[in-house]
């Protein structure tokens, strides 16, 4: 999303159910929000529409007090995977975005997992592995890597439904593993044969 919401879209987002994120609007309006990544259509009848994590963030950002510094990001929220240039901010606005996105993700799990479970990843996370793992880490307070200091880095792997997570030392790596396991991921520690670097291989847990 690179353009602001229209007045009609803003009203629909603001009027979403505060508990479930359920939306009401015309089919065209709801389809436009889906296209912008702010809503999703529930796969089961009656196929209602609900806010995505980005939609929750957009609503909360509008309702939050005006920040004293520039927003950390514009457009759809993206968790830091580590090593971005420039790196995301780390002030109050960024913390608010991260917390809002994580709460939205938990709600998305509740609405889309067949049993309503929030303790394991949902379909969206399985199709956005790097972003999903990074969100779990950033929301738990882990610092992403920057050029000036160490931190976590989440990277794609050739393996299906698996990401690699790197950290500057063993203690940080173990802390990342604990966070991901608590967020519903299966985690194993491995060593790269050529560089001898330690890393985590994390996959979304299914049951």
């Amino acid at each position: 999303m690179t353009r602001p919401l229209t007045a009609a879209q803003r009203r629909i987002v603001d009027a979403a159910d505060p508990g479930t994120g359920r939306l009401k609007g015309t089919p065209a309006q709801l389809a436009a929000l889906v296209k912008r990544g702010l809503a999703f259509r529930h796969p089961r009848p009656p196929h209602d529409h609900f806010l995505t994590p980005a939609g929750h963030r957009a609503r909360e950002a509008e309702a939050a007090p005006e920040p004293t510094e520039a927003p950390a990001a514009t457009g759809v929220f993206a968790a830091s995977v580590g090593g971005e240039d420039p790196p995301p901010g780390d002030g109050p606005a960024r913390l608010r975005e991260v917390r809002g996105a994580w709460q939205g993700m938990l709600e998305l799990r509740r609405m889309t997992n067949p049993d309503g479970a929030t303790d394991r990843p949902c379909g969206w996370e399985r199709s956005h592995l790097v972003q999903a793992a990074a969100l779990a880490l950033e929301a738990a307070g882990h610092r992403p890597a920057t050029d000036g200091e160490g931190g976590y880095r989440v990277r794609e792997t050739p393996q299906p439904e698996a990401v690699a997570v790197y950290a500057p030392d063993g203690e940080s790596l173990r802390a990342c593993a604990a966070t991901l396991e608590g967020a519903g991921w299966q985690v194993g520690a491995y060593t790269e044969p050529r560089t001898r670097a330690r890393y985590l291989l994390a996959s979304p847990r299914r049951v």
Side-chain angles (χ1 to χ4, degrees):
M1 184 179 68
T2 58
R3 63 192 185 283
L5 292 174
T6 66
Q9 289 173 336
R10 169 54 60 191
R11 287 194 295 271
I12 292 172
V13 170
D14 288 345
D17 185 279
T20 65
R22 183 173 180 269
L23 297 164
K24 294 182 179 179
T26 68
Q29 290 171 329
L30 296 172
L33 290 174
V34 170
K35 186 175 180 180
R36 298 179 70 165
L38 299 177
F40 71 95
R41 183 173 181 267
H42 200 284
R44 298 196 300 273
H47 302 298
D48 288 331
H49 287 72
F50 298 85
L51 291 175
T52 63
H56 281 280
R57 186 200 68 80
R59 182 174 64 173
E60 291 173 2
E62 181 71 14
E66 188 69 23
T68 56
E69 73 277 0
T74 57
V76 175
F77 172 82
S80 176
V81 301
E84 292 93 342
D85 185 21
D90 59 359
R94 179 67 183 182
L95 293 176
R96 188 162 53 244
E97 285 186 320
V98 172
R99 289 169 182 163
W102 179 245
Q103 290 303 312
M105 182 62 69
L106 293 178
E107 183 62 22
L108 188 60
R109 289 181 176 187
R110 189 180 73 82
M111 295 304 302
T112 60
N113 279 334
D115 58 356
T118 61
D119 61 350
R120 67 176 185 274
C122 61
W124 186 93
E125 291 168 277
R126 296 178 192 283
S127 62
H128 300 77
L129 292 170
V130 172
Q131 277 294 317
L135 176 58
L137 292 171
E138 191 173 2
H142 298 278
R143 294 186 65 85
T146 65
D147 289 339
E149 63 180 88
Y152 70 80
R153 295 176 186 267
V154 184
R155 297 295 183 262
E156 293 181 346
T157 73
Q159 300 190 39
E161 284 209 354
V163 295
V165 179
Y166 299 86
D169 53 58
E171 182 179 355
S172 299
L173 203 62
R174 287 189 293 273
C176 287
T179 290
L180 289 171
E181 288 171 348
W185 294 67
Q186 298 179 95
V187 182
Y190 299 87
T191 302
E192 291 186 345
R194 286 182 296 178
T195 65
R196 308 307 298 170
R198 295 284 289 172
Y199 70 97
L200 304 174
L201 196 64
S203 301
R205 182 167 56 82
R206 289 193 175 275
V207 293

